[in-house]
Amino acid sequence: MSLLPVLSRLLPLVGQSAARSVHSGTGLLFRSTPVLCAEPLKKKKKLDPQIVKQREERKRKRLEKQIRRLEKNARQLKPIEELEVPMELIDEQSKRKRNVPKPTAELLESRALLEKQWAKYRMQEKLADYQLFDRIVAAQAKALGELQLASDELYQRAIQPDPALLPFVAQGPVSTPPIKDYEQPDGEYIDVSRKWE
């Protein structure tokens, strides 16, 4: 049995109406309606007014509790994550604690003596540096004075700054005309910081 004669009879009928023809005969036609994806409305359950009242009371209490918690934490500063001590270190605190022996009187006295000797040494070193600087400046002033007496032209060249001593190059801002109808960008960025409430 070939399907071709059946299909040839069905094709003209499909274009005529939205109904689909299942039977090929002239008298009987099965028609199907479009599929409706709906279902009957569910009946509302009758709730006891006491249960509704209890639910609303629970909601109100939960909101009041959240408001109290927010008011309590309102004056607290936002925590800085970098300064928070990790929980692992807090747990390992007893393992990491060292038993440092209490220093004896002789040890404290020797430390104090060592600190005094170090302070005296540093003071003598600083005084020697100051004296060296004073001798250098005095020698420079004496040499410049002698040079000025010998030749004023050489003295003027000697007191000029040496550009090779400290190489420094500076270029000022370039003056450009403003761009007409230029819209400056807003500088959008993605904020990834944590939100605190």
Side-chain angles (χ1 to χ4, degrees):
M1 179 174 161
S2 175
L3 290 175
L4 194 58
V6 176
L7 285 176
S8 64
R9 283 190 226 130
L10 284 176
L11 286 175
L13 293 174
V14 172
Q16 291 173 1
S17 66
R20 282 189 263 160
S21 164
V22 179
H23 191 268
S24 61
T26 55
L28 290 172
L29 288 176
F30 290 103
R31 298 181 187 272
S32 63
T33 58
V35 178
L36 298 176
C37 297
E39 59 184 35
L41 295 173
K42 290 183 181 177
K43 287 184 179 178
K44 278 194 173 180
K45 292 181 183 176
K46 283 267 188 173
L47 288 177
D48 187 21
Q50 190 68 24
I51 295 173
V52 174
K53 189 176 178 183
Q54 285 176 349
R55 284 182 184 170
E56 289 175 359
E57 187 71 25
R58 268 191 240 126
K59 263 188 202 174
R60 192 173 55 77
K61 283 183 180 178
R62 195 178 315 123
L63 285 172
E64 286 175 356
K65 188 178 179 183
Q66 287 177 349
I67 290 171
R68 278 197 307 271
R69 191 183 315 130
L70 287 174
E71 286 174 352
K72 189 172 83 174
N73 296 335
R75 287 181 293 279
Q76 288 183 354
L77 300 174
K78 293 178 184 177
I80 302 172
E81 293 177 11
E82 292 83 17
L83 299 180
E84 289 180 5
V85 181
M87 289 303 293
E88 298 89 40
L89 294 181
I90 294 172
D91 293 340
E92 296 174 1
Q93 189 174 7
S94 59
K95 287 189 233 174
R96 293 173 176 267
K97 197 164 187 176
R98 298 180 186 168
N99 294 327
V100 181
K102 195 171 182 182
T104 60
E106 297 86 27
L107 182 64
L108 291 173
E109 193 174 327
S110 67
R111 284 182 185 171
L113 185 62
L114 192 62
E115 284 178 10
K116 286 179 186 176
Q117 288 174 348
W118 176 250
K120 187 176 180 182
Y121 168 75
R122 290 293 291 161
M123 186 187 71
Q124 288 171 351
E125 194 178 44
K126 188 180 273 189
L127 283 175
D129 286 345
Y130 286 157
Q131 288 170 357
L132 178 65
F133 295 148
D134 287 343
R135 282 199 306 270
I136 291 171
V137 169
Q140 185 184 25
K142 185 179 178 185
L144 284 174
E146 294 292 325
L147 185 63
Q148 191 174 15
L149 291 175
S151 170
D152 194 41
E153 183 185 331
L154 288 175
Y155 173 76
Q156 291 299 327
R157 285 177 51 196
I159 62 172
Q160 292 298 317
D162 185 8
L165 190 64
L166 290 172
F168 176 73
V169 178
Q171 185 177 0
V174 180
S175 179
T176 57
I179 300 170
K180 191 174 182 182
D181 299 330
Y182 175 72
E183 290 185 16
Q184 186 174 356
D186 285 341
E188 296 173 2
Y189 68 99
I190 300 169
D191 187 13
V192 295
S193 58
R194 287 174 60 183
K195 300 287 187 281
W196 300 94
E197 295 176 9

